[in-house]
Amino acid sequence: MKGFSVKQKPIALILLVVLLSTFLFSNISYAETKNLRVGETYFGFKLIEQKHLKELDSVGRIFQHEKSGARLLQIENDDENKAFSISFRTPVENNKGIPHILEHVLLNGGSEKFPVRNLFFEIVKGTLTKNLNGLTYPDRTTYPFSSMNDKEFNDLLDVYLSVVFKPAFYKDENFFKVDGWHYSIEDKNAPLQYNGVVYNEMKGALSSPDSQLHYSIMQSLYPDTNYAYLSGGNPPDIPSLTFQEVKDFYDKYYHPSNSYIYLYGKIDILEKLKFINDNYLKDFDKEEIDSKPIVQKPFDKRKDIIVEYPISTEDSAEGKSSIALSFSIKDDSRIDTMTSFNVLTYILFKNQASPVVQELNKAGFYNISAQMSPNFLQPYVTITAQNINPNMKDDFVNIVFSSLKDVVEKGINKDLIKSTLNVVELDLRQQYSRNINTGLMYGDLAMFSWLYDEDPFEGLNMADSFRKLKIALDKPYFEELIQKHILNNKHSSLILLQPKKGLMEEKDAAATEKLREYKASLSDKEIEDIVREYKELQEWNNTPNSEEALDTMPALSLKDLKPTIEEIPTIESKDEDMIILHHPLFTNGIGSINLYFDASYVKQEQIPYINLLSEILGKMSTENYNYTELPVQEAMYTGGINYYPSVLTKKGNNTDYDPKLVVSSIATDENIGQMFKLISEEIEKTKFDDKERLKQLISMSKFTIENQLNSMPLNTAAIRNLSYFSPVFKYNDILNGFSYYDFISELDLNYDSRYEEIVKNLEEVKDTIFNRNNLVISITGENAEYKAFKENLPTLLEILENKDYPSQKYEFKIEDTNEAFTSPIDILYNFAAFDFTKSGYKYSGSMKVLNNVISDYLFNEIRVKGGAYGAMFNIVNESNIIFMSYRDPKLKETYNAYNSTVGFLRNFDLDEKAFEKFIISSLAEYYVPVSSIQKGNEADYYYLMGIKTEDLNRELKEILNTKPQDMKKFAEMIEKGLKDNNIVTVGNEKVIKDNKGFFNSIKNLIK
């Protein structure tokens, strides 16, 4: 949905809901269309097993290709969003990143049938689906896609099978150099450097403390196995990888005998079997391939490990350590165990009602999490505490074990179990319809067992696993799991991740010295050869695909497509000063309710308190409930109550905006009344005077922001960049950007002296916002849900006043403050933005096509040539343009690439046939299946933004009517905008300081 974001539930529970979605509640009855017989062979595929998958309303079939040894799983049903994947077991024996680099090289290197460089991205340019990828796991590599279009599905099936079984990368080492690594040197006197897409991707991926902790857990639990190594690659080790090693790895593992093919949806299975056999598998003979991962022998005692990560020399190390207590899990049923631990970790470690969480909180552990990691031969569960000090390690371990022992002895509160199971079931009810990810999700579930030579159907029995959990309401099921897999489990590890000042500088110095020594060992001729090879690689990168090669690619045509705008039913009514929107859609007995409170009357100095208020409601005690009881009450009757700020911006305008505080929840019709009671309780009766609890929540907010900035600062930095010229985004920056981080950090630092002021501001902001004035309420559901909504709405309304507050006119200081935020990471994020309406330009649908055209150009300039992991060009609010690069080794070169788009557009010259793919790609959003609740949210957005069906139809028409020559018209617009020179860079401190002339100020990313 455009414009809104809903706060997420804890990840373990979300994972379980996603995995279980559509299993329990389906209103579709599917009858199989093919009368196939077990034991019969169809186009080389022998049908091994066939069964009715009742929970999926599907037929499942397992085939074996007799000549090649390929395995094939089919899930047949009437889902138009068909899915495919092919996986290979790819265990690693070092940290060079071979499977990851091979994945990139295969997709970008083309094939014998499709000899197109950057084939994957050439395909993406003209696809309706964006649900296609290549994925490297610790023990497998998977190539998935899904599509609602029959022709596109068949074309992509051919492409994917072609690149994995008949690749073209063998013929040219340059594919390996670009995506893996190469020496970068402009002339013989320049220093030698490493570059490469995967090399830079992994420098970025491993830059956050969370990532380092994750990889350290696998190494600690499974030191004698393939899981001790990084399948993605460790940057210091990647440059030791050779092209020959990549080819040898491909030869060893990319054989049909080591493959797992998956087909899903409404397809003609015999047609697909014939195609796969005749075009690919018939050319291979079965082989014995040893690819099963090594099993780690159980430990006799826990392994304790200290891991260091870099922080800036100017940073404080206080509160920047993390600890992870992990346990290898082994049980008879992989799926039962995974389902059980997903629920159990939520109950024990992600719920304020948990006695374990409460004991940890008392000892100063506030940022606590736990998760089950099932995608391995030996799954594991991890309990983590972040933002601690190293001297707290022993306390953490002792409290976890003592609390869990107490839980086992006394038993888990049954209301806590029941409420958690209720949340899962309620979420499942809204997943009654299949969505864009359903087919691929089932494929992943099957791989949980199939990859390890077990029954793939076991992974699809999660509904049964979930039902079994209800035994925990009567018997000590969870308590026995705790005793067996945690308290009595010696196969465990304890990792202390702690910061070290100057560690990045040490690593950089070591890498620089290694390269310096290597260059010093070379003769002048050898150095000249490296310079020549680098220049030849750049020239190779600059050489476009031939028309002959591009003509081999399959492509959709606009003639094949009929995009339309769906009108979502909305019935508007008024109740005093409020507006009620009803979207009468089938929601399987659930009412989805959104309350849009007007936040425009909040004083300017109190704007950040809107976000703070949304973060603490439901997490502090009220008059009738302790904060440990509220999560149980919410889960018992609702799918959770979410509070979040949203800023609605008039399209094509940077000054006209409407700030809201949104309250959203879902409930069955019989529980809507209780939902309104809980919302009323939290809005009216939250007690902000619990000084210690409020301090905890403010500190947790700061920690959460810092973790997000360390791992992916993209959104926060983009907001900051746009705030240089846009009052809308200046407001957003204060509300939830860098300015909000400054605000929350200052509150955390000076909490005691500012406590009374904080409480006063929270009370004032709460009273100002939770008012009937300009309130808009929406309900998505059928008549039963709407009736329950209307009957119980007075419960909420009676606690809302109807006060008139003075209107606010915000006066923000808007200035071009080009900033850089330094962090001890190896890569950069570079941003440049401007307001194109300032120069008199107006938005049109053709700009969506421009978005694809320039994104394609930046891909070549910044990723292929520059080695960054990615670059983007986005139209924001129909008034702004922003350029972004991520996991980028370059700074000056990237900003030069942004500026070079002007010349590119002035010289843009594509015929209509070649240009059509950019139009088709712009239509992708019209071919995404969405649920009824998503439709209701989207209709709310259109209403609040004043967007009419005719506006959407006009935009669609403008997209379809876009011509190649229209692109040239945008060159002047971009040239004028980039002259404003509004830029932001986040990342590598050395590179930023070497280019300090770009910036007006340089500051640390983390305080």
Side-chain angles (χ1 to χ4, degrees), residues 846-859:
S846 60
M847 284 189 176
K848 288 200 170 182
V849 184
L850 173 72
N851 183 78
N852 292 329
V853 169
I854 293 187
S855 292
D856 176 60
Y857 174 75
L858 293 177
F859 167 81

Side-chain angles (χ1 to χ4, degrees), residues 586-820:
F586 174 73
T587 52
N588 204 28
I590 289 175
S592 174
I593 295 171
N594 296 316
L595 310 171
Y596 300 100
F597 288 96
D598 190 351
S600 66
Y601 297 104
V602 174
K603 298 173 186 175
Q604 181 167 332
E605 64 271 20
Q606 292 179 328
I607 291 172
Y609 281 96
I610 300 171
N611 198 6
L612 180 58
L613 178 67
S614 74
E615 291 179 335
I616 65 178
L617 287 175
K619 298 183 180 69
M620 294 196 73
S621 297
T622 66
E623 289 183 13
N624 295 308
Y625 297 102
N626 186 274
Y627 70 84
T628 63
E629 298 171 323
L630 278 172
V632 178
Q633 290 298 310
E634 286 189 17
M636 194 73 76
Y637 300 106
T638 78
I641 300 172
N642 302 297
Y643 302 86
Y644 58 97
S646 179
V647 183
L648 301 170
T649 308
K650 183 178 179 181
K651 296 296 185 182
N653 190 310
N654 267 314
T655 59
D656 190 357
Y657 56 96
D658 188 9
K660 303 285 186 184
L661 195 150
V662 186
V663 185
S664 66
S665 187
I666 60 172
T668 56
D669 54 6
E670 64 268 23
N671 287 327
I672 285 176
Q674 192 63 34
M675 179 190 74
F676 277 129
K677 288 179 182 178
L678 286 168
I679 292 174
S680 301
E681 177 80 16
E682 293 173 1
I683 285 177
E684 183 189 28
K685 299 178 180 179
T686 291
K687 298 161 66 177
F688 299 121
D689 58 358
D690 184 338
K691 187 174 182 180
E692 184 59 31
R693 178 59 177 165
L694 184 58
K695 178 177 174 57
Q696 291 175 12
L697 293 173
I698 289 172
S699 296
M700 288 170 65
S701 175
K702 177 177 181 286
F703 297 153
T704 300
I705 295 170
E706 289 177 346
N707 289 336
Q708 183 268 325
L709 289 175
N710 276 320
S711 60
M712 183 54 75
L714 211 59
N715 188 58
T716 307
I719 290 173
R720 182 60 151 232
N721 193 193
L722 291 160
S723 76
Y724 290 167
F725 53 84
S726 167
V728 172
F729 283 95
K730 187 70 174 179
Y731 184 99
N732 271 292
D733 185 60
I734 296 169
L735 186 68
N736 57 17
F738 276 119
S739 293
Y740 182 73
Y741 174 49
D742 293 340
F743 164 79
I744 209 74
S745 298
E746 197 275 332
L747 292 190
D748 185 59
L749 181 66
N750 301 297
Y751 179 76
D752 288 333
S753 63
R754 296 199 53 185
Y755 166 69
E756 291 182 0
E757 175 193 346
I758 294 169
V759 172
K760 178 176 177 290
N761 279 309
L762 285 170
E763 291 283 6
E764 286 185 10
V765 170
K766 184 195 77 168
D767 290 343
T768 303
I769 290 177
F770 294 123
N771 189 11
R772 292 195 195 190
N773 226 355
N774 297 327
L775 173 61
V776 178
I777 306 177
S778 83
I779 163 77
T780 302
E782 294 187 292
N783 288 336
E785 292 79 57
Y786 183 70
K787 181 181 178 183
F789 161 80
K790 288 289 286 183
E791 288 175 352
N792 291 283
L793 182 58
T795 301
L796 173 69
L797 298 183
E798 67 185 19
I799 63 105
L800 298 177
E801 296 190 44
N802 196 5
K803 287 185 179 180
D804 287 326
Y805 288 92
S807 61
Q808 300 293 318
K809 185 177 181 181
Y810 301 135
E811 299 290 342
F812 299 127
K813 186 179 181 181
I814 304 296
E815 55 185 347
D816 299 341
T817 310
N818 293 350
E819 296 167 289

